[in-house]
Amino acid sequence: MLLKPQAIWAASLPLFLGRRLLPKSSSSPPPCGRRLPLRPICKRRMSAQAEPRFSPLPTARSEPDAGADGHQFRLVSYNILAQVYVKSAFFPHSPSASLKWKARSKAVLTELKSFNADLMCIQELDEYETFYRKNMESSGYSSIYVQRSGDKRDGCGIFYKPKSVELLQKEVIHYNDLVETCLLDDTVISAPSNNSSPSEGNMKRDPEWIDVKLAQAKYLLSKVFEFEKIISNKFTCKPSVIIAGDFNSTPGDKVYNYLVSASSESTDEAPIKLRSLYAANGGEPEFTNCTPGFTGTLDYIFLSGDNSIKPTTLLRIPRGGSPDVEGGLPNFHHPSDHLPIGADFQLLSS
């Protein structure tokens, strides 16, 4: 079973997905994987993306786990960069041709399909009804989409294969349900809208307003905890939890530490114990967001600590100095300023 909310700063989608997870073929794709130097990119059209590299984890090479029940699934999380935010003024380092909707939409769609994932958690998703929904349906995916409140045109979506998983229950979370102001040190400050965008002052992924984001993280986990109890009572089980998305927070900050229940700065304790998938398997990526203004890790997959799902591969991510990220993103190799993260998982018998 999977419990699936979406990323901070946007509408969220907690889901309970049933165990109609089918064994994956052993022929699933194997191997892939500061600040980058600013160099011009001379290519004039989107290149064919390399096949995603899901590299086996060392633990997966050992003898099969005695508790494994044979069910496997692949999950990918990806901030695809909403086209509404794609303006040359926001990405002056990017080749202008790589920012055009016709080229980007084709490249993003090709990349999404190349993952061959059972579940895809997508952030900054716009053009859902006009483009992504029908094109993903033609590849065998069902989907759920929640647009951000206000006049914003992007939101969060989950694409999933009905042949692999079954949607049993969902709940939508909006961060606007939080109080619009935060009391910090006896001072009332106006909370930034969760609809903020580059056109409203700052690059939308600038990791600022840490206390507001911490409040959102606490709200998220409280709602997931409530949802987990509903599922436990309804289906008489202890569901595993996966939380994936762009959290606009860097490793070791207050939000990250709270989510992994490792904060030494607060007496607050998260209602759900989580661990970061990449951190627990070699370390967080060098970066998942890559622009000249900011290069760092903002995207994560968090797992509940019950060890009922076992990662067997990781989607490898380019490192600094890799030619395909040189000069910053998006470019002709990567259609978003974020990189996708993901893994294959095996369910363990309870």
Side-chain angles (χ1 to χ4, degrees):
M1 302 97 174
L2 298 176
L3 177 64
K4 182 61 202 69
Q6 271 281 352
I8 288 183
W9 286 117
S12 297
L13 299 171
L15 287 84
F16 183 71
L17 296 162
R19 298 183 38 137
R20 210 145 58 82
L21 288 160
L22 305 179
K24 288 185 83 74
S25 166
S26 59
S27 61
S28 298
C32 197
R34 316 188 237 206
R35 198 172 288 260
L36 300 180
L38 286 174
R39 295 184 183 176
I41 300 174
C42 298
K43 298 170 76 70
R44 295 188 178 274
R45 63 181 61 184
M46 302 298 282
S47 64
Q49 287 104 342
E51 285 296 313
R53 298 182 59 206
F54 288 84
S55 298
L57 292 170
T59 53
R61 298 192 185 102
S62 59
E63 290 298 317
D65 195 300
D69 64 8
H71 293 286
Q72 299 181 50
F73 65 95
R74 174 171 291 176
L75 181 146
V76 168
S77 179
Y78 193 11
N79 180 327
I80 62 173
L81 178 58
Q83 189 65 22
V84 69
Y85 299 137
V86 180
K87 296 178 173 61
S88 57
F90 304 149
F91 301 100
H93 58 281
S94 298
S96 59
S98 70
L99 302 179
K100 302 296 185 183
W101 168 242
K102 184 175 181 180
R104 282 197 70 242
S105 60
K106 182 178 179 181
V108 171
L109 186 63
T110 299
E111 192 163 24
L112 293 179
K113 292 180 178 181
S114 74
F115 297 133
N116 191 29
D118 300 291
L119 293 157
M120 284 186 284
C121 309
I122 307 300
Q123 304 90 50
E124 287 199 33
L125 176 62
D126 62 356
E127 305 296 343
Y128 171 73
E129 292 291 349
T130 60
F131 181 78
Y132 287 107
R133 181 175 184 174
K134 60 184 178 182
N135 280 293
M136 293 303 291
E137 282 180 352
S138 67
S139 294
Y141 285 93
S142 295
S143 58
I144 298 172
Y145 175 67
V146 175
Q147 187 169 329
R148 292 199 289 167
S149 55
D151 59 354
K152 297 306 171 183
R153 290 165 44 192
D154 68 305
C156 288
I158 296 176
F159 294 97
Y160 64 96
K161 291 182 177 179
K163 292 182 178 180
S164 300
V165 297
E166 181 179 5
L167 174 63
L168 298 178
Q169 189 159 328
K170 69 175 181 179
E171 180 181 343
V172 175
I173 298 173
H174 287 284
Y175 293 102
N176 277 351
D177 293 341
L178 281 168
V179 180
E180 292 297 320
T181 57
C182 293
L183 279 172
L184 300 174
D185 298 325
D186 296 326
T187 302
V188 179
I189 64 170
S190 176
S193 166
N194 68 349
N195 297 325
S196 60
S197 70
S199 61
E200 293 167 330
N202 297 315
M203 289 299 291
K204 58 189 177 324
R205 285 172 212 67
D206 205 12
E208 297 176 350
W209 296 93
I210 191 67
D211 292 294
V212 174
K213 289 185 289 185
L214 180 60
Q216 291 181 325
K218 292 180 178 180
Y219 182 66
L220 170 64
L221 291 199
S222 69
K223 299 298 286 185
V224 171
F225 182 63
E226 293 174 5
F227 189 73
E228 182 187 36
K229 289 192 292 185
I230 292 172
I231 297 302
S232 296
N233 294 333
K234 184 173 181 177
F235 297 97
T236 61
C237 67
K238 175 65 175 175
S240 298
V241 176
I242 300 178
I243 303 178
D246 170 9
F247 287 81
N248 199 27
S249 298
T250 55
D253 71 11
K254 288 183 179 180
V255 171
Y256 181 92
N257 284 346
Y258 178 77
L259 290 168
V260 297
S261 304
S263 177
S264 59
E265 305 173 15
S266 172
T267 57
D268 292 340
E269 185 175 342
I272 298 176
K273 301 295 183 183
L274 299 172
R275 68 186 188 279
S276 170
L277 170 67
Y278 279 80
N281 292 281
E284 299 291 4
E286 185 178 336
F287 54 82
T288 62
N289 178 224
C290 181
T291 65
F294 173 83
T295 297
T297 296
L298 301 176
D299 304 83
Y300 308 95
I301 296 173
F302 295 107
L303 312 174
S304 55
D306 53 14
N307 296 316
S308 57
I309 51 176
K310 175 184 178 181
T312 58
T313 73
L314 279 186
L315 177 57
R316 296 304 176 186
I317 299 172
R319 299 179 63 85
S322 179
D324 58 320
V325 297
E326 198 168 31
L329 307 180
N331 59 24
F332 288 115
H333 298 283
H334 300 281
S336 174
D337 54 346
H338 281 247
L339 296 167
I341 55 176
D344 289 308
F345 296 92
Q346 185 173 36
L347 294 179
L348 304 181
S349 302
S350 56

